[in-house]
Structure formats: structure tokens, C-alpha cells
Amino acid sequence: MRQCLTSDLGGYYTPKTSSENDQFGTKGDFVTSPEISQIFGELLGLWVVAEWIAQGRRGEGVYLMEMGPGRGTLMDDMLRTIRNFPPLAKAIEAVYLVEASQNLRLAQHKLLCGENPLTENSIGHESTSKYSPDLKIIWAEDVRFIPQDPTKTPFMIAHEFFDALPIHVFQSVPPPPPQNEGDAADTIQTPTGPIKNPRRLPQGHQWRELVVSPTPPHRLKEGEPEFELTMAKAATPHSMYLPETSSRYKALKDVDGATIEVSPESLAYARDFAIRLGGSNPETSAPSQPAAGRKAVASAPREEAVMKDEPSGAALIIDYGPASTIPANSLRGIKQHTRVSPFTSPGTTDVSADVDFLALAESAINSSPGVEVHGPVSQALFLTAMGIEERAAQLVKKAMVEKGRTGEGKEELTEVVKRIEGGWQRLVDPSPQGMGGLYQVMAMLPFRPEQVGEDGKRRRPVGFGGDVRL
Ligand code: SAH
């Protein structure tokens, strides 16, 4: 997946020539929510404003970060919205964009920075916002290059990013048939007589990795993909390790044919977000006790500690995938708005997989005692709670007033209204293949112990059942 999507040799997002480069929009392979309606980015911008208010309106040190910004439309819509809240706009020290594709970085730069020069820096590239010469926009190819500064308040957005991160697929196979007592394979001859072979065959089910292999020539058909998914004949390093990392996977191990998809890179991103928000888990990174009021969490490998005095910031993850089950058989290819085999023309087909939201939540909570997770909730629920319908009505009204002023034709106005109405309704469409139900929204926030008098009714973030509290 990694090679097909972002390889230097010409991946889907990193083609060798820029003419191949418009994956988004009606002419490309797929249309994403920010490209459908400006309201999507505006509401995400408002969500950041609401969280910033709820966390005490910090006057400095705010980072806005986006993973995989595509054409940059979402960030542009967010920044335009945030400009209406000057104290937050002023508090934003930098915008960080994680982008593996050079072509998309250039498109984002053009949209967000206009003619301002793009220069190299120690972590990637940088420029300044077209909205303000004081606002730096900084690009890195991986979130790990962005400094983890515990004094900062990062607001992180990942829309349709996690589905592009590589997965490993495992299937549970039953144990081999038992050996008969006295079988040659079961005994070893020694100078003092036969002893039982200490190399015991596996007793229970085993995870086997499904790997991509070339289709054998006798099965290769004209016009069909040259690769297929086959089961590894023996354990692989990944099959011995990854399925043992969560009780969710272990619970399926004894089910014949159970299939699970695990994305270690996604878990690493969730972990990174959690640490930026809540600081490292003191139990695993430094020999100290969790601070008063913080949760103690289970251990993970040791790493450089990020100790945060007070958790701050938020992460919002929007993507498709089941709300609580482990994805299976979800690896897919998309070409020109049609689902195709993920092995069709590698490097020119979009390849993606369902996001395992619960795995991301588990990774975040295990990585930092300073975070809590809300959702996932359906995109329809989230955007409705954020006021998508009201914002659309506002835009329609504005278009009408403008029409009155400019004397624009009736047809143009009908077109604009149709686009606004059609756009927002598509984003919240609850039908089985509609975006409102397929996409889920999950938030990571600073962990807040229950306060006196809350009686189990703790603050919920806006969009997840909560209100904006001014
Ligand atoms: N968020 C955008 C685009 C989503 S497409 C939108 O909603 O329109 C996925 C984006 O993630 C692209 O910008 C792609 O280049 C980037 N991307 C994919 N894999 C990546 C990786 N491993 N590291 C960094 N960026 C990646």
C-alpha cells in the first residue's frame, strides 16, 4: 500500500508527472467532503474554535496540524473561518501540514500561501499564509518530523488520511492434525533410546498473514490484475507479533477463518497525537508516578518522554470504517469513481482500507494518561450537531442578497443554491451508501477527571452530544 500510494518511483499521490495529478474532484478518482462543500471545512474550523474556548482560550502556542491535506481546501476553509475569531487566529503560532506528495504540497502551497515563497527548512518546507505574514505554514512528510513541544496546544485534523495508511491482513487457521503416537516426526532417536521431539507442533489456532503475490502465469488472464492476495505458508514476523497486541484480536484467534486487518502505522499516528495532547505515559517513559488526577495506564515500549504540565489541544479523525468492529476484507481500489481490484495498475489506482476506530482509540488511551476519546459518531450526526443545515441556509441567503446587488441572472442563482443544498445533503446522507453513515468522526481530547457536582454527566465536546459553553 505504501509503495503504491507514496513511492518516490511514482505512487498514486506521488506521480512522476504532474499532469497525472488530479485525483480529487469530479474528473479525478474520488471526491472528498471538503471538495463537495465549503461548509465541511468551516464546521471543522468552528469545532476547533469551540474546543479552544472550552479549554480556556489560550492566548499563544496553538498549533493547527493537518495530516494528508489533499488540495488544501479543508485547511483553507478552516483558516478562513478561524479568522472570524481574532483571539484564536492570533494565538495560532504555526500551521503544520503532513504531506508525502510533492505535487500536492505545491497545490496546497498555492492555495494557502498564494505567491509567498516556498523554502526548505530543517523538517521539510515552509511559507507564510496568504491571510497573514505572521502565520507560518510548515510541511513535513511525516508527523514524527514535527517537534513534540509540551508547552504547545496542538489541534490536529485527519480527514481521509488513516484509510491511506498500510494495513497487514491476518487469517486464523486451525491447528494441524495431531501426530500419531510413535510417528517418526514425533520422536528423535538418541544414544539412550527414542525421546519425544521437543519441537512441539502448535496446539491452537495460528494467525497467518495474507500477502500480495504475483498471480501464477497459468491463472493470469488478459486485463486482470497481475497480483493477488495469498496466505503465507508459515508464520511471518508480523503474524507472530501484531495479532497479539490487543485483546480484540486475541478474542478471534480460535475462530476458523477469522480475518483481521491491523495498521501499525495508523496506531503509531494515534499514539503520536495522544502524546502531543496529553504527554507520554510516565509509567513507560520515565520512572515517576502518574500525576494526581491522571489515570495510570498499561505499559508500552520505552521512548523519549514528553512531559506535559497540563494536557491541551484536540485531534479530530474523520474517515470510513466500522465504529467498533475490526475491519476485514476492506482493502479496495478506486479508479474514476468506481471500485476496482486494489491490484489493478499499481501506482495509478487509489488504494485504501477501512479505518479501525477502536484500535486508534485503544492506541491513544494506552499511550497517554492525559487523553480521553469521544465517538466515533456518524458524520451525519456530527455535522448536524455542528449546524450544517443552518450554515447552508445562511449561504443561500447570502447568495440571494448578492444576486440582488449584482443583478446576476436567475439561472446562476438557481445553480448556486442547488450546489449548496445538494452539497450539504450529500455529506449527511444517511442511506446505506451515503457519506453521512459511512464516515465516522472521533475526537481525542485532554483527559479531564470528573468534577464535583457533575454526577457522571461530564462535559462532552460539541458535535458529540455537547454544547458550546462560552
Ligand atoms: N484530506 C484531503 C485528502 C485526502 S487524500 C481531503 O479531504 O480532501 C489523502 C492525503 O494523504 C493526500 O494528501 C496524500 O498525499 C496524503 N498521504 C497519503 N499517505 C500518506 C502518508 N503515508 N504520509 C503523508 N501523507 C500521506
Side-chain angles (χ1 to χ4, degrees), residues 53 76 86 129 253 309 383 409 450:
I53 291 174
D76 195 39
S129 161
K253 191 169 179 180
D309 287 342
L383 293 178
E450 190 171 316

Side-chain angles (χ1 to χ4, degrees), residues 189-201:
Q189 295 302 329
T190 72
T192 53
I195 60 162
K196 251 188 152 6
N197 185 348
R199 267 194 308 124
R200 308 210 109 238
L201 287 165

Side-chain angles (χ1 to χ4, degrees), residues 13 30-34 67-68 158-164 317-320 350 352 435 439:
Y13 290 113
F30 54 87
V31 193
T32 58
S33 299
M67 317 297 131
H159 175 249
E160 290 224 40
F161 172 71
F162 281 96
D163 65 68
I317 299 169
I318 306 165
D319 227 307
Y320 46 83
D350 175 41
S352 65
M435 296 180 93
Y439 284 79

